[in-house]
Amino acid sequence: RVPVFATKNLDLRTTCLLVRGIPPDTEEPILRMQFASSGKVSAMQKVRENANKSAPTIQSSRPTLSYLVQFADRRSAEAAKIRIREFRGVPLTLTWHEGKITGNETKSAS
């Protein structure tokens, strides 16, 4: 007989999403509620985007915000990535982010 703990796999994949395209007047608690509809959000952090991007932007010239959204588990993060396509009628871009959210504002290199 195999012990119960031996049958579970440890999932070390990231649970953090980089969300781009958020309207600048968005309040963080409202945004958190949107993502919490997919599962437990353990942390959120506003991200300063790198001004020296080499890739062209697809978004309009209208300013937007970016956030890192850390979920408690991978399943919740995957659900959010699939389900959340827009916020208040504005299209969002969600990509996986390696690493954890720290206490300080993070600068995104991508």
Side-chain angles (χ1 to χ4, degrees):
R1 207 167 168 194
V2 177
V4 174
F5 66 87
T7 62
K8 298 211 178 207
N9 291 329
L10 183 59
D11 190 351
L12 298 176
R13 295 176 296 169
T14 186
T15 60
C16 191
L17 292 172
L18 173 60
V19 183
R20 290 186 171 122
I22 301 164
D25 59 342
T26 301
E27 295 178 14
E28 189 172 315
I30 305 291
L31 187 63
R32 181 180 286 270
M33 286 180 10
Q34 173 79 15
F35 284 96
S37 69
S38 297
K40 184 176 187 222
V41 174
S42 55
M44 287 184 64
Q45 184 176 52
K46 192 183 292 187
V47 177
R48 288 182 301 149
E49 294 287 350
N50 188 346
N52 299 334
K53 284 186 180 180
S54 57
T57 55
I58 297 172
Q59 298 174 350
S60 68
S61 59
R62 195 172 137 200
T64 60
L65 298 176
S66 297
Y67 271 86
L68 291 175
V69 181
Q70 181 84 48
F71 287 89
D73 57 73
R74 178 69 181 207
R75 181 176 286 169
S76 298
E78 288 174 347
K81 192 167 187 313
I82 292 168
R83 292 181 193 152
I84 300 174
R85 299 280 182 211
E86 62 180 35
F87 182 73
R88 293 184 354 208
V90 177
L92 299 177
T93 303
L94 283 77
T95 56
W96 292 113
H97 178 77
E98 295 297 325
K100 301 278 184 188
I101 295 177
T102 62
N104 300 325
E105 191 171 270
T106 300
K107 186 173 182 181
S108 175
S110 58

